[in-house]
Amino acid sequence: MKLYSNKKALYISIALILLLAVFLLWWRFSAKKNMHADITSSNGSHYALDLPTGFEPADFVDYDSMKYQPSLEYENKARDLHVMVIDESKAKIISFGLDYDLDTYMKIASRQLDSAGLYVNKPMNVNNFKALQTEIKGKVKGKINVYRLTCLETPKFFYQLLLWTSDEKYESNKNDMEKIVGSFKEVDK
C-alpha cells in the first residue's frame, strides 16, 4: 500500500511540474511585447518609435495628392488605432525661403486637420525635444475620429506624429497613444 501511494505522489508531482512548465511557456510567448520601429526616411532623418503589439504596416494616403509623404504608417485595425509620422528637414524648409519655428510648424500641420483652427496647443517635452500637442475631433465618412497631433523640433528636423482612433475607442486607446508619442527618439547616425 505504501509503495502505491509513493508512486501516486510521484506521478502527481510530475504532472504538476509539466503543467507549470506549459503555463510558463505559454505566459512567456503570450506576453505583450512592443514593436520597435527604427526608421531612416528619404528626408535623411533617423528616428525610433515603440508601437504596442498588433500593429501592422498601413497605407493611409494617396501620395500623389499629398503635400508630405509619411515616413511611417502603421495601424492596429482591431483596436481602430492608427499612427503616421511625417518628418521634414529644416534645411529644405529654409531652402524654400521659409523660416519656421515650432509654433509656426504646428499651426501649419494642425490646419491640415482642422481648417477652422479650433484647437489648443499643449507645450511638452518628448525625450528632451520641444514639442507641441493638440487633439482635434473630426468627421470622416460619417465617423467621428479623435486625432492627437504632436509636432516635435529637433536640431535638424520637424516631426509630425499623428495618431487617431474613433471617438468611441479613444478612452481605451489614450494610454497607448501617450506611450507611442513618449517613445519617440531621434537616433544618432
Side-chain angles (χ1 to χ4, degrees):
M1 188 65 107
K2 200 173 199 181
L3 183 61
Y4 174 73
S5 66
N6 284 344
K7 277 188 176 182
K8 186 177 179 182
L10 179 65
Y11 291 140
I12 290 173
S13 296
I14 290 171
L16 287 174
I17 289 171
L18 287 174
L19 281 173
L20 180 61
V22 168
F23 172 76
L24 288 174
L25 283 172
W26 170 82
W27 178 75
R28 185 180 187 294
F29 289 110
S30 67
K32 287 187 174 184
K33 294 182 181 164
N34 284 347
M35 180 182 84
H36 183 76
D38 193 347
I39 306 296
T40 301
S41 84
S42 60
N43 289 331
S45 72
H46 189 190
Y47 64 92
L49 207 60
D50 291 332
L51 303 173
T53 189
F55 272 76
E56 296 180 356
D59 189 13
F60 300 126
V61 293
D62 172 19
Y63 294 119
D64 295 333
S65 67
M66 203 172 159
K67 195 176 188 180
Y68 309 103
Q69 291 193 3
S71 55
L72 180 139
E73 295 175 280
Y74 275 82
E75 68 183 340
N76 183 323
K77 287 183 181 180
R79 293 181 55 195
D80 193 20
L81 183 54
H82 318 274
V83 60
M84 180 168 65
V85 177
I86 295 171
D87 56 277
E88 292 189 81
S89 164
K90 287 181 172 181
K92 187 174 182 180
I93 291 171
I94 291 169
S95 74
F96 290 124
L98 304 170
D99 187 21
Y100 293 173
D101 61 1
L102 183 59
D103 288 323
T104 304
Y105 189 79
M106 181 65 166
K107 285 176 189 170
I108 292 167
S110 55
R111 289 273 154 82
Q112 293 174 14
L113 292 172
D114 179 19
S115 59
L118 304 173
Y119 51 86
V120 176
N121 294 334
K122 177 178 98 176
M124 57 190 303
N125 187 307
V126 177
N127 290 315
N128 296 321
F129 297 120
K130 281 183 9 180
L132 292 171
Q133 187 176 80
T134 192
E135 287 183 5
I136 299 170
K137 281 192 179 184
K139 199 174 214 179
V140 177
K141 297 180 184 175
K143 177 180 153 186
I144 298 174
N145 288 323
V146 178
Y147 297 89
R148 180 174 285 190
L149 173 64
T150 307
C151 289
L152 292 106
E153 181 178 9
T154 69
K156 294 182 180 179
F157 292 91
F158 286 109
Y159 293 90
Q160 296 177 42
L161 280 65
L162 180 63
L163 293 94
W164 70 96
T165 187
S166 61
D167 191 37
E168 62 266 6
K169 293 198 176 186
Y170 176 70
E171 284 304 317
S172 63
N173 285 325
K174 190 175 181 178
N175 284 341
D176 278 337
M177 292 171 92
E178 290 171 7
K179 287 177 187 175
I180 291 169
V181 169
S183 74
F184 175 88
K185 290 180 181 70
E186 193 170 53
V187 180
D188 291 330
K189 294 181 182 178

